[in-house]
Amino acid sequence: MKENKMGVMPVNKLIINMSLPMIISMLVQALYNIVDSVFVAMVNQESLTAVSLSFPAQNLMIGFATGTAVGVNALISRALGEKNGERANRIAENGVFLALLTSVAFFLFGIFGSRLFISSQTDVPYIIDEGEKYLRICCGACFGIFFEIMYERLLQSTGRTFYTMITQGVGAIANIILDPVFIFVFKLGVSGAAIATVTGQIIAFILAVYFNHRKNPEIRLNFKKFKPNGRLIGEIYKIGVPSVLMVAIGSVMTYFMNKILIVYTLGKELSVNVFGAFFKLNSFICMPIFGLNNGVIPIIAYNYGARYKSRMLKTIKLSVIYAEAFSVFGAILFFALPNVLLGFFSATPQMLEIGIPALRIISLSFLFAGMNIALSAVFQAFGKSVFSMIMSFIRQLVILIPAAYILARYGLSIGNNDLVWWSYTIAEISAVFSSVVFFAVLNKKTIKPLNEAGENR
């Protein structure tokens, strides 16, 4: 096989070449996430609450899609680094099969479990009804997001991230255009926002399939004689399940955080809206870092498979530096302009009173988040996603939720609504320690023993 650019292009140029399209597409994704909530907030604040309470389940669905795709991405890139094209094709076919199975599972959840999920967080009838409508539509047509993400990862695994920028960008732009049409012109409200979301995902899926069949010669899918391969599926989920669990942990955290805010803060539903707005705004900082990760994971995996140790190490170092740069920018933005950021969500004076100090306090956690997210991607590239999972578990469930519960209850007793938000910074600092320890283990057992193949590139 001809050497892929991931093994020969100068590392810094390669990271930019691979990651920049992903960063741009992720920024567009972040924009459409915010625009979605901006239009919903124009309906009323209760509709925004309904969407916010739906987020944990929606995020879990995306987590299953991306987690499975991470396993497929890393294994294909490693197989290509080892010059084993046949294995890469079989991995890709089994990955698409898994996308089909998980989309069916979430379709059933959407039909039968949506109302129970929303009503477990609130007893307000309007919010329950609107949340159920939103979640049913998002899960009912979830095949779009599952296949979109899987086919995009096939492109990323061979270094063709430019095409994923197009698929994600077109899907997101379609969503942005359709949001006001369905919400206000057709007067569908929250249901309109959900319809716009799944329509954009289906458009992106169709484009991703087209680009794979036309522009991705290193991967050839043939389902005529396809049979699921238990060994390959096991390898995919050995890497992918920890990634799925990481997102599942995040969904559990969001679910319990919503309940804590409703029960133990002075703002109640307004605090949930601030928390939901934070998640949407936070995506403008985290999504570019995830885009960077999506470009870096196949580079590390390829050079690990090819045994180009020096290229691998340089990629790791630069990815941490770039991720921290994004995080510092986010900290400055959230601290300096919280009123402007919340203004996008039609924030009332009461919501601003809660939200401005909240965003300023949470902004401090960004100073530590970049390195944690970057090292999490490094672990995934080496097939050590369990490290990322443990980091996420410690940060979000062992530290953040108990800290939020204690601080919220204490804050409620003394009339201080701001204490709960310090839980984010406390949790992020704890994650720094675990990520450094895990990287030291990875370096000792996997990176140091690796011998350089050929000349130092």
Side-chain angles (χ1 to χ4, degrees):
M1 290 179 63
K2 181 182 177 182
E3 184 76 84
N4 189 281
K5 68 180 180 180
M6 290 186 286
V8 293
M9 185 181 288
V11 172
N12 196 47
K13 180 180 178 181
L14 177 63
I15 292 175
I16 295 172
N17 180 273
M18 292 279 288
S19 299
L20 186 58
M22 294 307 306
I23 290 171
I24 293 171
S25 62
M26 287 291 188
L27 280 171
V28 174
Q29 290 285 323
L31 177 64
Y32 106 71
N33 281 336
I34 288 180
V35 170
D36 210 33
S37 293
V38 166
F39 284 120
V40 168
M42 290 179 184
V43 177
N44 53 54
Q45 287 291 310
E46 288 77 14
S47 294
L48 181 60
T49 304
V51 172
S52 297
L53 295 180
S54 302
F55 179 78
Q58 193 178 13
N59 191 50
L60 183 62
M61 177 175 65
I62 295 173
F64 268 88
T66 56
T68 305
V70 162
V72 172
N73 188 353
L75 288 176
I76 290 176
S77 295
R78 192 179 304 173
L80 294 175
E82 295 166 349
K83 311 301 186 289
N84 191 341
E86 179 62 25
R87 173 177 166 82
N89 290 334
R90 300 294 79 79
I91 293 167
E93 291 165 1
N94 280 272
V96 173
F97 170 72
L98 293 173
L100 173 63
L101 289 185
T102 45
S103 66
V104 171
F106 275 94
F107 169 81
L108 295 175
F109 167 78
I111 299 301
F112 299 108
S114 296
R115 188 171 187 86
L116 177 63
F117 181 80
I118 301 297
S119 61
S120 69
Q121 300 175 78
T122 181
D123 57 2
V124 179
Y126 179 84
I127 294 175
I128 293 173
D129 291 341
E130 293 300 283
E132 179 188 14
K133 292 175 187 176
Y134 183 84
L135 203 51
R136 274 196 171 191
I137 295 170
C138 288
C139 292
C142 67
F143 69 91
I145 189 65
F146 276 97
F147 285 112
E148 173 198 345
I149 289 174
M150 182 57 65
Y151 276 92
E152 285 173 350
R153 287 301 197 278
L154 299 186
L155 291 165
Q156 291 172 27
S157 66
T158 61
R160 291 171 172 83
T161 54
F162 174 77
Y163 296 112
T164 62
M165 179 183 70
I166 296 175
T167 60
Q168 292 185 7
V170 171
I173 291 169
N175 188 0
I176 292 169
I177 294 172
L178 293 174
D179 256 330
V181 174
F182 286 122
I183 293 172
F184 300 116
V185 177
F186 294 145
K187 302 185 185 303
L188 294 175
V190 167
S191 297
I195 294 170
T197 295
V198 298
T199 302
Q201 292 166 350
I202 293 169
I203 291 171
F205 153 53
I206 294 170
L207 277 175
V209 171
Y210 171 80
F211 285 133
N212 266 282
H213 285 284
R214 294 288 184 175
K215 305 292 184 180
N216 200 12
E218 289 172 280
I219 301 295
R220 283 286 172 257
L221 301 176
N222 183 2
F223 294 103
K224 290 183 179 179
K225 298 181 180 180
F226 170 75
K227 291 183 180 179
N229 186 310
R231 181 178 58 82
L232 286 180
I233 290 174
E235 290 183 43
I236 290 169
Y237 277 127
K238 183 179 179 181
I239 299 173
V241 163
S243 299
V244 172
L245 291 176
M246 282 170 57
V247 179
I249 289 168
S251 294
V252 171
M253 179 276 291
T254 307
Y255 176 85
F256 281 109
M257 193 71 173
N258 283 335
K259 290 181 72 72
I260 289 170
L261 293 172
I262 285 179
V263 176
Y264 296 113
T265 66
L266 299 171
K268 297 189 179 298
E269 280 81 8
L270 281 177
S271 294
V272 171
N273 286 352
V274 168
F275 185 54
F278 157 69
F279 255 102
K280 301 293 184 178
L281 294 166
N282 182 48
S283 65
F284 254 112
I285 308 305
C286 289
M287 284 293 197
I289 301 177
F290 292 143
L292 173 69
N293 286 353
N294 288 339
V296 163
I297 287 174
I299 298 173
I300 296 174
Y302 184 97
N303 285 281
Y304 176 52
R307 304 181 74 83
Y308 298 153
K309 183 176 179 180
S310 59
R311 291 176 58 81
M312 191 176 65
L313 288 172
K314 189 172 183 180
T315 302
I316 294 170
K317 178 181 177 181
L318 289 173
S319 68
V320 173
I321 292 172
Y322 291 150
E324 271 298 307
F326 278 116
S327 294
V328 171
F329 170 76
I332 295 171
L333 185 66
F334 272 59
F335 190 85
L337 301 172
N339 54 328
V340 175
L341 297 175
L342 291 169
F344 294 135
F345 300 91
S346 303
T348 61
Q350 295 80 6
M351 183 175 171
L352 288 173
E353 184 180 355
I354 296 170
I356 289 174
L359 293 193
R360 283 182 170 155
I361 292 169
I362 293 174
S363 70
L364 300 177
S365 68
F366 290 178
L367 300 175
F368 311 97
M371 184 181 74
N372 291 329
I373 297 173
L375 288 180
S376 178
V378 172
F379 300 145
Q380 292 171 29
F382 280 97
K384 305 292 184 182
S385 295
V386 66
F387 289 171
S388 302
M389 180 188 69
I390 295 172
M391 279 174 54
S392 184
F393 181 78
I394 292 172
R395 182 174 67 86
Q396 298 188 79
L397 296 187
V398 176
I399 305 296
L400 194 150
I401 289 300
Y405 175 75
I406 294 169
L407 292 172
R409 291 201 65 168
Y410 180 67
L412 184 63
S413 69
I414 64 173
N416 188 333
N417 207 64
D418 300 340
L419 291 181
V420 65
W421 308 112
W422 285 102
S423 58
Y424 260 87
T425 301
I426 294 170
E428 211 64 62
I429 292 173
S430 71
V432 170
F433 292 102
S434 59
S435 64
V436 169
V437 170
F438 286 136
F439 184 76
V441 172
L442 177 69
N443 186 52
K444 180 180 179 180
K445 294 187 175 182
T446 304
I447 297 176
K448 277 190 174 181
L450 188 68
N451 295 319
E452 183 82 38
E455 61 179 298
N456 192 352
R457 299 186 178 213

